[in-house]
Amino acid sequence: MKIYMTEDYQTMSRKAANILSAQIILKPNSVLGLATGSTPIGMYKQLVIWYEKGDLDFAQIKTVNLDEYVGLEPTHEQSYRYFMQNNLFDHVNINPANTNVPDGLVADPQAECDWYNQVIRKLGGIDIQVLGMGHNGHIGFNEPGNAFELETHVVDLSERTIQANARFFASADEVPRQAMTMGIKSIMMAKKILMLVSGEDKAEAVWKAFAGPVTPQVPASILQLHPYVTLVGDKAALSKLMEEKQ
Ligand code: F6R
């Protein structure tokens, strides 16, 4: 595993954008696995800036997002499709047909998940998967205790995740109770992983994930078994992990 420790959120975002840019430049038809949440926003901003400068071309890029809430329409401000349009897709020359996010409004979410697995396979798999990490070590919406061997599937959100995401809704009551998420198996099948972490509140989770035992209780800990992980974090998020390594 390669670890890049940066001074702050800004430099973390820039470093992550550098790594993704290298991927895009070296393989212009890459399949990018993308994440939402607060952590990658700065990275997306930086990619848009470099696109506007003419340094990046998304014309042949394909994307698959990690997850989507069940029940939210793509235009809902808190849907992950809306997030991706707003933070990246609407600002670069990506072909809309090449962007994939599970559809939150389908009648049969599990059928949507099965279809999504086919989409990933037809694309030839994910070249690089961007991840953030929850305070409980979740990746995507794979919560502690969930099985490691699943591909895209429907999950019930934990109370902690509902509370953490409530800041984006008018109240916790409005946070959807279910989501569709790539499973740990889908994530582990990605050729490369780019994990982004920022802030002292993530330090404990980062330490457990990368210095603790590999256990479904800390879903991100499975990444210790992935052959190609790059962890980019600011020094606040990496503080506990780096203490351990000294
Ligand atoms: C987002 C996702 C989540 C987030 C995680 C961290 O697509 O799947 O696992 O990466 O909840 O969220 P932030 O970045 O908001 O701390």
Side-chain angles (χ1 to χ4, degrees):
M1 180 170 81
K2 200 164 180 74
I3 303 178
Y4 290 102
M5 184 162 79
T6 70
E7 192 57 31
D8 53 21
Y9 178 77
Q10 281 296 107
T11 43
M12 179 212 68
S13 302
R14 199 178 171 95
K15 178 62 77 184
N18 272 139
I19 294 167
L20 223 50
S21 296
Q23 176 72 41
I24 293 168
I25 291 165
L26 290 171
K27 189 180 177 201
N29 63 348
S30 288
V31 179
L32 307 180
L34 299 178
T36 64
S38 49
T39 313
I41 290 177
M43 177 188 74
Y44 293 135
K45 277 207 175 92
Q46 186 63 68
L47 290 174
V48 170
I49 291 170
W50 287 334
Y51 164 74
E52 285 169 349
K53 281 191 173 158
D55 291 341
L56 286 177
D57 180 10
F58 289 80
Q60 298 178 66
I61 290 292
K62 292 154 190 106
T63 66
V64 279
N65 261 78
L66 270 177
D67 43 16
E68 179 60 288
Y69 287 117
V70 170
L72 294 193
E73 59 274 20
T75 51
H76 189 291
E77 278 187 18
Q78 294 308 329
S79 79
Y80 288 175
R81 164 56 78 176
Y82 181 90
F83 175 102
M84 288 312 303
Q85 294 298 137
N86 210 24
N87 284 287
L88 183 66
F89 301 156
D90 286 347
H91 309 292
V92 298
N93 66 331
I94 197 159
N95 177 350
N98 287 341
T99 68
N100 298 283
V101 183
D103 182 349
L105 281 192
V106 286
D108 183 349
Q110 187 50 54
E112 174 74 0
C113 293
D114 296 343
W115 172 82
Y116 206 68
N117 291 331
Q118 294 310 318
V119 169
I120 297 173
R121 282 206 170 77
K122 279 197 190 129
L123 289 172
I126 297 165
D127 287 304
I128 186 164
Q129 177 64 55
V130 177
L131 295 174
M133 196 193 302
H135 295 106
N136 58 5
H138 75 220
I139 45 178
F141 271 118
N142 296 283
E143 301 286 5
N146 286 172
F148 270 171
E149 66 274 12
L150 295 175
E151 294 186 45
T152 312
H153 61 289
V154 180
V155 288
D156 296 328
L157 305 191
S158 74
E159 199 45 45
R160 193 163 181 197
T161 297
I162 292 168
Q163 293 307 329
N165 289 354
R167 66 189 195 275
F168 302 117
F169 291 81
S171 73
D173 289 345
E174 286 186 23
V175 183
R177 266 38 191 175
Q178 284 191 316
M180 290 170 277
T181 183
M182 278 188 207
I184 296 292
K185 185 174 174 189
S186 333
I187 293 169
M188 289 298 280
M189 285 192 304
K191 293 174 192 105
K192 295 180 229 167
I193 300 286
L194 174 58
M195 164 70 83
L196 273 57
V197 286
S198 173
E200 207 189 333
D201 56 320
K202 294 283 173 74
E204 174 100 8
V206 172
W207 170 69
K208 281 190 183 158
F210 294 107
V214 175
T215 164
Q217 294 316 316
V218 184
S221 65
I222 189 74
L223 297 174
Q224 292 179 39
L225 304 181
H226 192 286
Y228 198 123
V229 176
T230 307
L231 172 63
V232 184
D234 57 24
K235 62 183 188 199
L238 296 186
S239 54
K240 215 166 146 82
L241 181 67
M242 290 322 210
E243 253 169 47
E244 179 84 11
K245 285 197 178 292
Q246 271 158 19

